């Protein structure tokens, strides 16, 4: 009976296929979302599907291009103790439309980033620790906020996808890139 219940939960979730590095869609620039688009059933379903897909894969964020949709849409959200990023703080659930990021600090201390589109690997990336971000939410309300720390790193990583950029393009050093299992067994990791 438990197996049948588990199957029902999986069927209710709309988990989409995540494109992997090498797929040319991931290298394209996304288009802005219009206010008319946010009112459609398709858009609301897309947001639900993105959250379902992100959670199913234990992700912290997901950008629409990662599921083949070239629109400027990102979802983020992580409870504490995500199995992929142990020891990182909670990131509140958020829908981000048409983001604009302005760095407020130079690239600083790095972070071992991973990506659902580069499965099983991580690399050391240095990014600004403090940013100003403008975006719209699912109601098309405009926001502007100064963001620091881990959340700023997550948002920069996800918003890069909207412009065809993957974290591997921002590696500090290609020697600081590899498979999770091999990196976890070495003493090079900072976390």
């Amino acid at each position: 009976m438990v197996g049948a219940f588990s199957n029902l939960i999986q069927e209710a979730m709309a988990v989409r296929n995540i494109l992997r590095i090498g797929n040319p869609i991931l290298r394209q620039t996304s288009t802005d979302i219009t206010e008319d688009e946010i009112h459609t059933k398709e858009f609301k379903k897309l947001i639900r599907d993105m959250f379902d897909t992100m959670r199913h894969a234990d992700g912290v964020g997901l950008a629409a291009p990662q599921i083949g949709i070239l629109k400027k849409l990102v979802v983020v959200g992580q409870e504490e103790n995500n199995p992929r990023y142990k020891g990182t703080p909670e990131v509140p659930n958020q829908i981000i439309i048409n983001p604009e990021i302005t760095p407020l600090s130079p690239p600083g201390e790095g972070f071992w980033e991973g990506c659902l589109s580069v499965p099983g690997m991580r690399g050391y990336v240095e990014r600004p620790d403090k940013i100003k971000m403008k975006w719209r939410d699912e109601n098309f309300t405009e926001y502007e906020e100064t963001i620091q720390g881990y959340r700023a790193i997550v948002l920069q990583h996800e918003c890069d996808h909207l412009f065809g950029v993957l974290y591997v393009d921002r590696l500090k050093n290609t020697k600081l890139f590899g498979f999770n299992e091999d990196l976890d067994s070495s003493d090079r990791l900072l976390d």
Side-chain angles (χ1 to χ4, degrees), residues 165-185:
V165 177
L166 298 173
Y167 82 92
V168 297
D169 302 325
R170 298 192 185 277
L171 290 173
K172 170 72 175 167
N173 180 333
T174 56
K175 293 178 181 176
L176 299 175
F177 174 67
F179 287 98
N180 293 337
E181 298 83 30
D182 296 324
L183 291 171
D184 289 341
S185 67

Side-chain angles (χ1 to χ4, degrees), residues 39-55:
H39 300 295
T40 66
K41 289 181 195 174
E42 294 81 15
F43 186 76
K44 292 174 185 358
K45 181 178 180 347
L46 174 60
I47 289 172
R48 283 192 309 272
D49 290 357
M50 286 178 67
F51 273 113
D52 287 348
T53 303
M54 178 187 76
R55 289 181 183 123

Side-chain angles (χ1 to χ4, degrees), residues 34 43 128 145-146 150 187:
T34 65
F43 186 76
E145 181 181 355
T146 298
Y150 178 66
D187 61 358

Side-chain angles (χ1 to χ4, degrees), residues 1-15 52:
M1 184 67 177
V2 171
F5 181 70
S6 177
N7 289 342
L8 284 174
I9 291 173
Q10 288 286 61
E11 289 173 18
M13 289 178 59
V15 175
D52 287 348

Side-chain angles (χ1 to χ4, degrees), residues 145-159:
E145 181 181 355
T146 298
I147 303 164
Q148 277 189 250
Y150 178 66
R151 185 168 160 237
I153 302 301
V154 168
L155 292 168
Q156 289 173 83
H157 173 108
E158 296 306 330
C159 291

